Each structure stands twice: as C-alpha cells, then as structure tokens.
Amino acid sequence: MSSQRLTRRALIAGAGGAALAGPVFGQKLIDLGLPGGPSLRPLDPQFPGKGEMIVQRIRPPLLEAPMEVFRTGTITPNNRMFVRWNWPMPTEVSAAKHRVAVGGAVKAPVALTLDEIASAGETVEIVAINQCAGNGRGLSEPRVTGTQWGNGAMGCAKWTGVRLKDVLAKAGVAEGAKRVRFAGLDVPMTDGAPQFIKSIPIDIAMRDDVLVAWAMNDEPLPILHGFPLRIVVPGWFSTYWVKMLSTIEALSGEDESHYVAETYRWPTVAVKPGDKDFPTVPITAMPPRSFITSHADGATVALGKPLTLEGIAMGGDAGLAKVDLVGDGWEIPCTLGPDEHGPYAFRRWSVTLPSVSGDLTQIGTKAANSNGLTQPGELVWNPSGYARSVIERITLRAQ
Amino acid sequence: MRGVLALLALLCLAGCDASPVVQFKDASITLPDDSDDLPEGPGRQAVIENCTACHSPSTMLQQPGVPRAKWEATVAKMITLYKAPVDPEAVPAIVDYMVAVQARQSDVPRETAR
C-alpha cells in the first residue's frame, strides 16, 4: 500500500528544465508509485468539506484518499472518502424542487419529492465499502489509460436510506421488467454524448439491502458524494451507486446504453495487451482485497525484534473469511479484528512475527471471502484496469 | 443479512406526530479554480482550445506513456464518443504536443525500485 511518498516540487525542479505539468512550486505532492510514472500528484487545492486528498483532477472532481486514511479504524470519514465524477455535476441543488422520476416499465410513472422518497418505506442503515471499479488502475503493468488511481479510490461508510424496492413500489414495476436504470443530475457537456446512466438486474434491485440513500456516516450526502440521493449496492463497485439520483427507470429488455453496454466491462477470458474482440461482461461484484497499512513500502524494521504488521481487508460481495501474510514460498495466518459492521465493510487484521531475521522482500496479504474467492498472486490484467485485486506487495528492510 | 440491517426509529407509537425521517436542506458547493496548467511547447494552444472544455488538463497529463497511435485514437474517441468540438486541423498539433510532453516527462525516481 503505502508505496506512496510525500515529496515536494523542489525535488523535481531539476527535471530536464522542462516545465512539468500541474505542480506549482511549493505544492505538496505525493508519489503514488505508479510504474513508469507520471506518479506524482498534488495534495491541493483543498475541496470544501474534504480533508487532505490526492487531487487527480479538479474538473470534474477526482479525489483519492491517501493510504494513511486506512491506517486506523474501519469507517472512512466523509472528508476522506474518494470522489469520482465522469461529467461535471451541478454545484447547487434545491431540495424542495428536486424530483426523482420513477418510470419506464412501470404501472404508473411518478415524480417523487425527497420527503416522498424518505417515507417510501422503512429507514435502513448499512455499512458498505464504496470502491471505484478502476481503483488501482495506475498500478497496472503493462499500464493502461483512464483515471490513474493508486489504491485510494475506496472507502467504507454507513449509508442511510430506504430500500430501492420500496421506491419502485410507488410506481409499481411492470411484469417482466429485467433491469432498473438510474440517472443523476450530472449530464454531458455536449449534445449526443452519452449520459452517465447505469443499470442493475431486477433481482439485485429488489434486494433488501439495495438503497436509495440520503445520508453518509449520519450526515446528509455532501454534493461531492451525490446530494441529495444516491444508490447504494453493497458488494458491487460504485459505478452503480449513481449519485444525485433524478431518474429510476425499469427496463423490459437489456440495457444498450454506453456505460453498461460499451464500457465498465471486462473480459471473460484471459487477455493481453493488443488483443481485440474478446467477450466481455459488466464489472459488477467486488472481489476480496487487503492492504498492509502499518508499514510503507521500503520502511525499515528492527532486526532480531518481533514485528507486528497491521492492515485492512474486505471480502467484496461476501464476508471476509481470512487473511494470510504471504512471502516467497510461505504464508502465515493473520488475526482478524472484530466483525464490527457486517460482510460489506472493512475489517482490520494483524499478525506478529516473533523475530525479524532479515529483509522482508515482497511480502503481501492475501484475503479470501466466504464464497471461497481468494486474491490472486498475479494481476488479472485487463485493458481498462478494472477490479484490481492482486496481492499488494511491499518490501521491508531489516536494520 | 441478519445483523446488517438496523432499523431506525420508525417506532411511531401512539401520539407520534409523524415527524419526517429526515429533513432535506438545499446544498451548494464552490469548487476550487482549475489552474489549467500545461507545459510550454508547440501545440499547447491547440490543446487548451480543444481539450480543456470538459476536463482539467491533468486528464491528459497523468496518462502513462503511450505511442502516438494511442493519442490519435484518444482524440478520435473524444470526437466520436464524447462529441468534443475539435478543430480537425488542430489534431496533428494536439497529438504532437502530447507525444512531446510525455517524452520529456520525468518523475522523481522511486527510492524503492520494484
């Protein structure tokens, strides 16, 4: 994880004399350790309501959590949750005027106020990890284009809302509906460009824990996180967690729209760079992942002394079953922290080595979930860099 | 699912005046200015004019080093998919600029080589 390093513009001032992109003199930078670079990112400007974040892009905002955010606890504070918009979003939303249109393959289309949504059914809370499908894309080798995230496009929060199925019931889903599609207030800047709309299969939409949420960690959703409402699909990548929800549409057939039919998809077969015309499916459920958070890559540890390593892990779309510390030809089981928030949340883990006998080269952690899915030792490379779940390795120097 | 879903206070017993579950207030945000920083070089103006309407320059500048053909494909994707209003005559200059910027882009070498 913490292959990230803070550094300063001063360090790169000598880089060929060429004006480098972005960073301004004196700006605080972080090194995301992206192979081959460019790997430095600014930690400013600060966005309203956010703490120190990696500023991948100002417009539309792409903010990544530095890995230090995951050093303690299992809940990510709102001011450190990653931010991701595909198109610029409105910067002002009127609560009284906002409506959510529920239509498509329904018995009677309705346009609901926020109060009508909030009272559509029981209020439900769930703790769930929100992770970008492209989290860790910048670490892909060979590299791929797209948002060059490190591993911080993830976070775990408590979401409060009503069940999507209770909102759908207000319009009555028609017999035979296959999918439910969502749109938000973020629209393309050009005519004819695809709007960021996403759909999920009807059986997922009807799950008891799939929400139309208005609160994140007991606070109203901040604008950057989708005020006034966002979809929450625990265990699935956040591409489906449509923000600034304004339309819910039941579909009687397949979804042919761009962000479902043409992108946010990954191969069903092994592929290598340059391959074309392979079969793909939408990227949906999250696989297990784990990170060492107590030590950064390259950190020194005391020779001959015991060493405790700590970190964070997730099961993905099923509960976390175990975490092992792995090295070259060995594995040691780690101790899992308490199951505080259920299967879709982070859990902490720790392990103590009785004595450090030398450098710990390329060690990592391997999480498995209760469905038996385990983190792979090798990257499952795909051209869009989706669903990274390879064992993340670091090297510790003994001194 | 047991233990995961916690029901909030919906125990609206006798005498409860059906107060709303949540009160929604208007929201707004002022986003920080975009510096629109692009390194000097031939074609810079073409990139500013054609490529910064929808996103910050960091979208281009943070990409890993890719061959010229990939930049050509990316510009084509912006035009056909996202309907970017790009001046066709500016395309070679945009591609040249991105290739040149990537060629001289050098980061601080990592202390720990992988």
Side-chain angles (χ1 to χ4, degrees):
Chain A
M1 78 128 216
S2 307
S3 40
Q4 301 172 355
R5 239 170 237 110
L6 292 183
T7 173
R8 293 208 158 258
R9 171 71 178 136
L11 288 174
I12 51 172
L20 269 181
V24 177
F25 186 81
Q27 201 173 26
K28 204 172 169 197
L29 300 175
I30 191 167
D31 184 348
L32 296 182
L34 311 187
S39 188
L40 299 176
R41 298 286 185 276
L43 288 162
D44 42 32
Q46 203 182 334
F47 280 63
K50 304 304 288 183
E52 188 171 78
M53 297 293 284
I54 301 164
V55 182
Q56 293 277 10
R57 185 171 75 190
I58 294 179
R59 187 173 47 87
L62 287 177
L63 307 178
E64 173 172 351
M67 289 306 279
E68 74 183 33
V69 168
F70 307 105
R71 273 194 146 212
T72 55
T74 49
I75 297 287
T76 313
N78 290 358
N79 69 348
R80 309 307 288 281
M81 177 65 83
F82 83 98
V83 173
R84 197 267 185 269
W85 292 90
N86 292 61
W87 290 99
M89 80 293 182
T91 52
E92 244 177 293
V93 179
S94 152
K97 290 197 197 120
H98 190 79
R99 294 289 179 280
V100 178
V102 187
V106 296
K107 292 176 188 126
V110 285
L112 303 173
T113 64
L114 293 177
D115 289 341
E116 285 168 333
I117 297 263
S119 58
E122 270 173 350
T123 302
V124 177
E125 291 182 343
I126 187 161
V127 176
I129 291 165
N130 175 34
Q131 180 182 213
C132 181
N135 193 24
R137 175 184 293 117
L139 300 161
S140 274
E141 277 180 289
R143 294 285 298 277
V144 296
T145 53
T147 302
Q148 301 300 309
W149 299 115
N151 274 323
M154 61 176 186
C156 181
K158 181 172 89 178
W159 311 93
T160 308
V162 286
R163 295 187 177 97
L164 172 61
K165 66 174 181 187
D166 288 341
V167 176
L168 282 166
K170 292 274 187 186
V173 175
E175 201 71 26
K178 285 209 167 59
R179 300 181 71 85
V180 178
R181 185 156 70 186
F182 315 109
L185 296 178
D186 46 329
V187 292
M189 296 190 66
T190 40
D191 285 343
Q195 187 179 357
F196 186 74
I197 53 179
K198 297 287 304 190
S199 65
I200 57 177
I202 191 80
D203 55 321
I204 301 292
M206 292 300 172
R207 259 167 55 174
D208 266 348
D209 58 353
V210 169
L211 306 185
V212 175
W214 56 78
M216 175 176 170
N217 293 329
D218 296 318
E219 285 170 29
L221 279 172
I223 283 224
L224 288 172
H225 295 286
F227 179 89
L229 300 169
R230 84 178 296 176
I231 297 291
V232 169
V233 189
W236 279 32
F237 283 108
S238 55
T239 178
Y240 300 96
W241 301 30
V242 169
K243 302 184 287 298
M244 286 193 178
L245 182 70
S246 58
T247 308
I248 300 175
E249 185 189 3
L251 303 179
S252 52
E254 288 310 307
D255 188 351
E256 303 297 336
S257 64
H258 173 69
Y259 290 97
V260 171
E262 287 159 13
T263 182
Y264 287 95
R265 299 177 71 90
W266 72 331
T268 54
V269 295
V271 296
K272 46 183 192 335
D275 286 358
K276 292 248 146 49
D277 299 328
F278 41 79
T280 61
V281 287
I283 183 82
T284 56
M286 297 191 287
R289 295 196 76 182
S290 58
F291 303 90
I292 298 172
T293 61
S294 55
H295 293 74
D297 189 18
T300 51
V301 292
L303 190 63
K305 295 271 166 54
L307 171 69
T308 298
L309 297 171
E310 287 176 7
I312 205 159
M314 60 186 272
D317 71 333
L320 181 69
K322 63 171 187 161
V323 175
D324 294 313
L325 181 70
V326 299
D328 188 11
W330 55 266
E331 327 193 335
I332 307 171
C334 303
T335 306
L336 297 187
D339 180 357
E340 295 170 274
H341 305 296
Y344 303 116
F346 282 136
R347 267 177 90 171
R348 300 212 64 89
W349 59 265
S350 70
V351 63
T352 299
L353 308 178
S355 173
V356 172
S357 58
D359 287 355
L360 291 160
T361 310
Q362 293 287 292
I363 57 166
T365 48
K366 185 174 72 170
N369 71 17
S370 60
N371 287 341
L373 199 61
T374 301
Q375 286 186 257
E378 298 292 327
L379 177 74
V380 181
W381 187 91
N382 64 89
S384 302
Y386 289 135
R388 180 181 175 87
S389 74
V390 63
I391 296 173
E392 305 286 348
R393 292 178 186 270
I394 64 171
T395 292
L396 301 177
R397 309 265 168 228
Q399 255 176 33
Chain B
M1 216 70 319
R2 224 172 340 120
V4 178
L5 303 181
L7 298 186
L8 273 192
L10 282 187
L11 308 159
C12 198
L13 302 169
C16 166
D17 59 349
S19 63
V21 190
V22 51
Q23 288 208 317
F24 291 94
K25 296 202 185 74
D26 294 352
S28 66
I29 191 172
T30 306
L31 296 174
D33 285 341
D34 194 351
S35 62
D36 274 340
D37 251 347
L38 278 160
E40 292 303 329
R44 180 173 183 267
Q45 198 52 34
V47 173
I48 292 174
E49 282 163 16
N50 292 283
C51 307
T52 58
C54 303
H55 46 62
S56 308
S58 63
T59 308
M60 285 83 85
L61 299 171
Q62 292 173 353
Q63 296 304 317
V66 291
R68 164 176 294 271
K70 180 72 187 181
W71 279 114
E72 286 166 349
T74 298
V75 174
K77 172 178 159 188
M78 298 303 133
I79 297 169
T80 52
L81 176 62
Y82 299 133
K83 313 294 176 216
V86 176
D87 173 6
E89 305 211 328
V91 174
I94 293 167
V95 171
D96 286 349
Y97 175 85
M98 289 314 309
V99 170
V101 165
Q102 288 203 322
R104 67 192 150 107
Q105 210 157 34
S106 59
D107 259 357
V108 182
R110 299 199 57 217
E111 288 156 41
T112 346
R114 289 210 174 225

